[in-house]
Amino acid sequence: MKSLLVLHKKRLFIIFSIALFVLIALLGRLSFVQLIQGSWLTGKAENLWGRDIPFSSKRGRILDRNGELIAYNISSPSVMVVPAQIKDKEGTADKLANILQVPAEKILPFVKKKQLIVRITPYGRKISEEKAEQIQGLQLPGVVVTEDSKRYYPYQSLASHLLGFTGIDNQGLAGLELEYNKQLQGTPGYISFSANARGEKLPGGVDRFTPPKDGLDLKLTIDLNIQKIMERELDQAMAQYQPENVIAIAMEPTTGEILGMSSRPTYRPDQYKTTDPLIYNRNLPIWKTYEPGSTFKIITLAAALQEKKVNLKQGFFDPGFIAVGGSRLRCWKSGGHGSQTFLEVVENSCNPGFVTLGQRLGKEKLLSYIHQFGFGQKTGIDLNGEAKGILFKPSRMGPVELATTAFGQGVAVTPIQQVAAVAATVNGGKLMVPHLAKQWMNPESGKAVSTISPTMKREVLRPEISEAVRAALESVVARGSGRKAFVDGYRVGGKTGTAQKVGPNGTYLKNNHIVSFIGFAPADDPKIVVYLAVDNPKGIQFGGVVAAPIVGNIIGDSMRYMKVPKRKNQIPPEENILYDPIIATPNFVGQDMDKIRNSLYTIPIETVGKGKVVISQIPRAGERIKKGTVIRLYLGDK
């Protein structure tokens, strides 16, 4: 009996111990779930009944180098529906369709979708504020109006190929909008609410708002005023010469910062859907490849000076052609230029003279410099779609190919390559990477988050060689083929280009040229390099006649806008019947208008105001102008 009692006690103890162990295990598990996994499990549960309505972030703005807005967002609400919360689907579709001004059968499929949250695309995307207020006023169950925005370009087509455009979801699709989409786009937020498995909102649920994180603002290297000057000239060129296209680039040569870039034909970024894709998909300044013509001679000149293959004071005779490999390569001037120095070879853009420089350099050395200056490779500009161009392979470069390459024929390059290369020849010899992004800005504080520093690829010329190139090219504008780019006081240097275009079958087209000019100023301390190419202008097809004066206008107006001081040690322009001479403006202030009219003045005059005495004039007295420039006189009484 006693042993049986002991046995019962042991059993009870074992049962109790097991129960205690189980209880402790349960308490431990409960504590683990509550204290350790509580937050995680709560989140999982909330995910099961939580529903999120996306709330778009604001896309970062784009500004020019001076802080002027050139792309930003304007409010444009969108409509979303939660189908599970809509009992009267047909009625809801009818009411929405009435406000959105589309047939109800277009809206009903969205309302009936077996999805949690549905965007009414495209009918309910980015609607007007008035329509949004009407929909909100109906207080329809399951219908939500969320804040949305759309991209706005206040200057319409200005810099369109640079900026690009965005899609319906504010995603970058082209240009800088695409290149820097990640930084500009930001992070979306959302409004959360509790719902059951069918998506119906739970009674007593609390809506929670997680704010979006807006994208960064992008400050560009572009100067809006220089861009406007450039595009004004492009529009004038299109109207005057009716070419297939026109291309222009302006760059700060010492940093690689693009100050302006554009082309024609152009488009409006907010209307890209109605534009020919060939227009907005081809950013011509970085995409188009063609034979550069005589602007390429700058590279041959720089290489020959660096390798001490030429003395610009040395004489050269041009009979109008040069024999190479059984072929006669002709100079553009019938009969040739005769006896001249090599500086005059540069001024006159004499092909036989540059062929001679190419021969002195040799195939390997000339190709080496061409590669060093960045041809045959991308410049690295921060835009999509850049082309590499086409160069001769050394194995396929015979005497004739060497000769034609020396004066810019037989190779294909891009406008941006030419600008970067010529900038290197005049900035002291440094090949810079062209770039458009200057700073990333915090949209709230306006302070810089990061700054893009200039990047040098390599040094290609010695500084003294760069100085010699600048002097030679200034002489081209003052005395040679670039005379029409002359701007009084700003020491413009540059080079003309006239390149015959190659047809689909590989032969040169007749009377179809790309005429160009690349210029810089001031020659003693370049602040800007400007390139312009006109594709197949109607009428005269010479770079010195068509492109040079346009570049002169861009440089002159840009220098005045940039408040660059005028130089007094400019090479005086050579007198020529083909060019208007530079004269000093007479002083008319204080003179009687009747006496002025009866004088021997041959200057064109325009009067403004009433009175008999000149009280002011534009241009001011003593300012140097081209003969024939109209002087505006403001009249008043003494």
Side-chain angles (χ1 to χ4, degrees):
M1 185 73 179
K2 187 176 181 180
S3 59
L4 186 61
L5 183 60
V6 171
L7 181 61
H8 280 299
K9 287 181 177 181
K10 286 182 178 181
R11 287 177 176 174
L12 288 172
F13 177 76
I14 292 171
I15 292 170
F16 177 77
S17 298
I18 293 172
L20 182 62
F21 176 78
V22 171
L23 180 61
I24 292 172
L26 289 173
L27 288 173
R29 178 62 180 169
L30 182 61
S31 299
F32 176 76
V33 170
Q34 281 288 104
L35 301 177
I36 306 300
Q37 291 188 311
S39 299
W40 178 75
L41 289 171
T42 300
K44 294 284 283 184
E46 288 180 349
N47 285 337
L48 290 175
W49 67 71
R51 301 294 184 265
D52 296 334
I53 297 176
F55 204 85
S56 300
S57 59
K58 289 183 180 178
R59 190 172 180 84
R61 303 174 300 172
I62 300 178
L63 308 88
D64 88 328
R65 65 188 302 117
N66 300 311
E68 294 290 331
L69 287 170
I70 51 179
Y72 56 93
N73 312 298
I74 57 174
S75 180
S76 185
S78 291
V79 183
M80 306 175 74
V81 293
V82 183
Q85 297 179 6
I86 301 175
K87 303 299 183 184
D88 181 9
K89 299 188 184 301
E90 285 76 12
T92 299
D94 285 338
K95 292 176 182 177
L96 289 176
N98 185 49
I99 295 175
L100 297 176
Q101 297 178 341
V102 293
E105 55 266 26
K106 298 282 188 181
I107 304 298
L108 189 58
F110 294 100
V111 177
K112 288 185 174 181
K113 276 191 175 181
K114 301 295 183 181
Q115 294 179 13
L116 176 61
I117 299 173
V118 180
R119 289 182 180 271
I120 301 180
T121 303
Y123 316 107
R125 296 297 306 277
K126 304 189 178 185
I127 61 177
S128 67
E129 292 284 353
E130 182 182 0
K131 289 181 179 179
E133 290 176 2
Q134 291 178 13
I135 292 173
Q136 286 177 319
L138 294 176
Q139 296 184 343
L140 297 171
V143 177
V144 181
V145 177
T146 64
E147 183 180 350
D148 205 343
S149 62
K150 63 181 178 181
R151 211 57 163 165
Y152 180 65
Y153 303 92
Y155 296 100
Q156 299 181 352
S157 64
L158 192 80
S160 58
H161 283 96
L162 289 181
L163 297 173
F165 50 84
T166 60
I168 190 68
D169 293 313
N170 277 350
Q171 76 279 26
L173 297 179
L176 290 166
E177 297 277 24
L178 172 61
E179 180 74 16
Y180 291 117
N181 183 62
K182 184 177 180 182
Q183 296 93 323
L184 290 167
Q185 199 166 37
T187 305
Y190 50 88
I191 298 174
S192 300
F193 63 91
S194 300
N196 59 24
R198 293 191 299 272
E200 298 170 339
K201 191 171 182 180
L202 295 175
V206 179
D207 293 348
R208 296 178 301 281
F209 174 60
T210 300
K213 184 178 180 181
D214 295 340
L216 295 174
D217 289 344
L218 173 59
K219 180 177 282 191
L220 302 179
T221 62
I222 295 295
D223 190 305
L224 188 60
N225 289 294
I226 294 176
Q227 185 75 26
K228 288 179 179 179
I229 291 169
M230 177 180 289
E231 299 211 19
R232 176 200 71 198
E233 294 297 323
L234 294 189
D235 288 336
Q236 177 63 31
M238 289 294 288
Q240 184 173 354
Y241 298 110
Q242 301 176 14
E244 294 177 28
N245 55 70
V246 191
I247 299 167
I249 304 173
M251 189 173 88
E252 207 290 328
T254 60
T255 63
E257 293 184 350
I258 300 297
L259 301 174
M261 182 187 290
S262 190
S263 61
R264 293 292 184 274
T266 187
Y267 72 102
R268 286 184 53 170
D270 59 345
Q271 297 177 4
Y272 75 93
K273 290 183 179 179
T274 60
T275 304
D276 183 351
L278 292 179
I279 294 177
Y280 65 69
N281 278 333
R282 294 176 175 177
N283 191 352
L284 299 182
I286 67 168
W287 174 84
K288 189 177 179 67
T289 58
Y290 50 89
E291 292 187 359
S294 294
T295 55
F296 199 75
K297 292 174 181 175
I298 298 174
I299 306 306
T300 305
L301 170 65
L305 287 170
Q306 176 101 335
E307 293 298 318
K308 299 180 180 179
K309 300 296 184 181
V310 66
N311 181 336
L312 294 180
K313 295 179 181 179
Q314 181 184 0
F316 177 81
F317 182 79
D318 170 30
F321 67 91
I322 186 170
V324 179
S327 300
R328 274 194 171 194
L329 303 178
R330 299 187 178 278
C331 185
W332 64 268
K333 184 179 180 181
S334 179
H337 294 92
S339 295
Q340 56 188 335
T341 65
F342 267 101
L343 178 58
E344 290 172 324
V345 166
V346 179
E347 292 173 355
N348 297 327
S349 195
C350 175
N351 284 351
F354 277 92
V355 171
T356 301
L357 295 183
Q359 291 172 337
R360 291 180 182 181
L361 284 164
K363 176 175 65 175
E364 289 77 12
K365 188 62 69 175
L366 180 58
L367 281 177
S368 173
Y369 273 95
I370 290 172
H371 285 289
Q372 283 291 304
F373 275 104
F375 295 103
Q377 57 196 274
K378 294 182 179 182
T379 65
I381 190 171
D382 43 345
L383 282 173
N384 285 311
E386 184 181 7
K388 292 182 178 180
I390 303 171
L391 302 177
F392 282 118
K393 292 181 179 179
S395 60
R396 300 186 62 183
M397 194 175 196
V400 174
E401 289 76 18
L402 170 62
T404 58
T405 298
F407 60 77
Q409 186 174 303
V411 295
V413 303
T414 65
I416 192 64
Q417 286 176 336
Q418 294 189 76
V419 171
V422 172
T425 69
V426 301
N427 70 6
K430 298 176 175 62
L431 182 66
M432 306 301 296
V433 176
H435 63 282
L436 290 152
K438 190 174 180 68
Q439 282 184 326
W440 288 102
M441 316 291 292
N442 184 305
E444 295 182 3
S445 67
K447 294 181 179 179
V449 174
S450 62
T451 299
I452 292 82
S453 301
T455 302
M456 183 182 75
K457 278 191 174 182
R458 51 188 164 267
E459 193 165 347
V460 290
L461 291 179
R462 297 190 299 274
E464 65 271 19
I465 302 302
S466 176
E467 184 178 357
V469 172
R470 293 199 301 269
L473 295 180
E474 183 183 5
S475 189
V476 170
V477 173
R479 301 172 181 159
S481 58
R483 180 66 178 79
K484 284 187 174 290
F486 185 88
V487 181
D488 188 59
Y490 287 115
R491 296 189 62 181
V492 177
K495 187 74 190 69
T496 59
T498 303
Q500 201 169 0
K501 290 169 62 177
V502 179
N505 58 358
T507 59
Y508 287 104
L509 302 174
K510 292 183 178 181
N511 300 318
N512 194 334
H513 300 78
I514 293 179
V515 300
S516 61
F517 187 86
I518 190 159
F520 60 93
D524 60 324
D525 183 20
K527 301 295 184 186
I528 193 171
V529 173
V530 177
Y531 176 79
L532 182 122
V534 184
D535 187 347
N536 192 24
K538 303 301 181 286
I540 299 175
Q541 295 200 338
F542 293 102
V545 178
V546 176
I550 300 174
V551 171
N553 291 340
I554 294 172
I555 288 178
D557 286 353
S558 297
M559 291 290 97
R560 286 183 280 272
Y561 158 70
M562 296 166 72
K563 298 181 179 178
V564 175
K566 285 192 173 184
R567 271 58 173 170
K568 295 182 180 180
N569 55 342
Q570 185 172 22
I571 298 175
E574 187 176 88
E575 295 296 331
N576 191 312
I577 60 172
L578 297 177
Y579 307 113
D580 297 321
I582 303 295
I583 62 172
T585 307
N587 186 2
F588 293 105
V589 176
Q591 295 188 39
D592 187 277
M593 195 60 217
D594 290 336
K595 291 182 179 180
I596 294 174
R597 288 193 177 100
N598 294 327
S599 69
L600 298 177
Y601 284 120
T602 58
I603 298 171
I605 291 172
E606 178 184 293
T607 59
V608 178
K610 297 180 179 179
K612 296 183 178 181
V613 178
V614 178
I615 59 175
S616 181
Q617 68 179 67
I618 296 177
R620 292 175 295 181
E623 188 169 327
R624 290 168 60 81
I625 59 173
K626 289 182 179 180
K627 187 176 181 179
T629 301
V630 175
I631 298 177
R632 182 173 295 176
L633 303 181
Y634 294 86
L635 305 180
D637 296 320
K638 289 184 179 179

